Amino acid sequence: MISQQRDRDRFLLPSLYIVRELANTVKIKSIQPHNPVIVSHIPQSWQLLGTGNYAAVFIHAEYPDIVVKIYASGRSGWAEEVAVYKQLGYHDSFSQCFQAADNWLILKRLHGVTLYDCLHQGIKIPRQVIQEINSALEYAKSRGLTPHDVHGRNVMMSAEGKGLVVDISDFLDSSPCWAWKDLNKAYYWIYQPLLSWHPLPLPYSILDGVRAIYRVYRKTI
Ligand SMILES: Nc1ncnc2c1ncn2[C@@H]1O[C@H](COP(=O)(O)OP(=O)(O)OP(=O)(O)O)[C@@H](O)[C@H]1O
Ligand SMILES: [Mg+2]
């Protein structure tokens, strides 16, 4: 808790006025529920950092340590995400929520590349990254949360090779979720023996194809 407060003091936070201006100007649409949202009308000085199936995440040049995550209209989950951050406390593999209102949150920026993009860019993923993500998830469990929807776009590797968990919005959902267990298996059974020596960049068409097949597979077993 003390480190959490220290982080908040250390980071320069944007004024509510400019965050509200972003939230009121940008258009974020969820067209297909299982695919990332579509973003348009981004105001000057903001930049799109990433998208998920529920929300879009922005950075501002003058505030390098924070991101603003905005939920698409009609997509639920904002209140749950705020509640998860309250319950999580501080752990250096997770972000922190500094402020939240309406459909947006100001979060600590985690610097790294998602494991999905590591596969796309052919960046080697060391075993330590997987182990650190596992221990971060154990920490979340110790706080009474249930890691859920931990997939390749929700975990990252920092430049120093640290494992990070970037999206914890579903950690109040206690229904069964196989995503991280299956990714762990795929890492040890497929990635380590076959791909880790010379990681080849994999096009998004292949990665998205695997994602679609995986979804069907998990629905049918
Ligand atoms: N705190 C952060 N620091 C750096 N990048 C972030 C942060 N939060 C999100 N991102 C980036 O933005 C992307 C989308 O954010 P996020 O995963 O939180 O959206 P979502 O819609 O809740 O995702 P999902 O489809 O998994 O539910 C992430 O994959 C990541 O690349
Ligand atoms: Mg996500």
Side-chain angles (χ1 to χ4, degrees), residues 35-38 50-57 153-154 167:
N35 280 315
V37 297
I38 306 296
T51 51
N53 297 350
Y54 288 76
V57 171
R153 283 200 177 108
N154 285 345
D167 180 9

Side-chain angles (χ1 to χ4, degrees), residues 49-57 67 69 71 81 85 95 107-111 114 149 151 153-154 156 166-167 169-170:
L49 179 65
T51 51
N53 297 350
Y54 288 76
V57 171
V67 300
K69 174 170 177 175
Y71 275 74
E81 180 157 2
Y85 274 109
S95 176
L107 303 173
K108 177 168 100 178
R109 181 173 178 184
L110 297 175
H111 293 270
T114 66
D149 202 31
H151 57 69
R153 283 200 177 108
N154 285 345
M156 299 205 305
V166 83
D167 180 9
S169 49
D170 289 319

Side-chain angles (χ1 to χ4, degrees), residues 149-171:
D149 202 31
V150 183
H151 57 69
R153 283 200 177 108
N154 285 345
V155 285
M156 299 205 305
M157 177 171 84
S158 76
E160 299 77 36
K162 183 168 179 57
L164 304 167
V165 185
V166 83
D167 180 9
I168 58 171
S169 49
D170 289 319
F171 280 26

Side-chain angles (χ1 to χ4, degrees), residues 19-191:
V19 176
R20 290 219 163 97
E21 191 190 23
L22 167 70
N24 292 336
T25 311
V26 74
K27 299 274 174 284
I28 306 172
K29 278 194 191 149
S30 168
I31 293 167
Q32 294 164 313
H34 294 298
N35 280 315
V37 297
I38 306 296
V39 182
S40 59
H41 298 85
I42 304 172
Q44 246 189 353
S45 53
W46 290 96
Q47 204 187 315
L48 182 65
L49 179 65
T51 51
N53 297 350
Y54 288 76
V57 171
F58 302 89
I59 47 173
H60 189 291
E62 284 167 34
Y63 306 97
D65 296 317
I66 59 98
V67 300
V68 177
K69 174 170 177 175
I70 306 182
Y71 275 74
S73 44
R75 284 304 235 167
S76 61
W78 173 87
E80 289 80 358
E81 180 157 2
V82 173
V84 170
Y85 274 109
K86 277 196 184 130
Q87 196 168 326
L88 182 72
Y90 180 80
H91 185 288
D92 63 359
S93 283
F94 292 103
S95 176
Q96 289 168 245
C97 179
F98 295 136
Q99 218 148 16
D102 305 329
N103 61 342
W104 55 260
L105 303 94
I106 302 178
L107 303 173
K108 177 168 100 178
R109 181 173 178 184
L110 297 175
H111 293 270
V113 183
T114 66
L115 297 196
Y116 200 76
D117 280 332
C118 287
L119 293 176
H120 174 64
Q121 294 170 31
I123 300 171
K124 186 180 164 92
I125 304 168
R127 197 165 39 168
Q128 185 194 329
V129 171
I130 305 297
Q131 289 167 341
E132 283 181 359
I133 293 169
N134 279 325
S135 58
L137 297 178
E138 285 306 314
Y139 166 80
K141 283 187 202 164
S142 77
R143 303 285 305 182
L145 296 165
T146 44
H148 196 98
D149 202 31
V150 183
H151 57 69
R153 283 200 177 108
N154 285 345
V155 285
M156 299 205 305
M157 177 171 84
S158 76
E160 299 77 36
K162 183 168 179 57
L164 304 167
V165 185
V166 83
D167 180 9
I168 58 171
S169 49
D170 289 319
F171 280 26
L172 289 180
D173 184 344
S174 55
S175 63
C177 178
W178 296 95
W180 183 247
K181 279 187 196 126
D182 289 338
L183 270 182
N184 247 287
K185 279 189 204 154
Y187 180 84
Y188 287 106
W189 292 359
I190 302 169
Y191 184 84

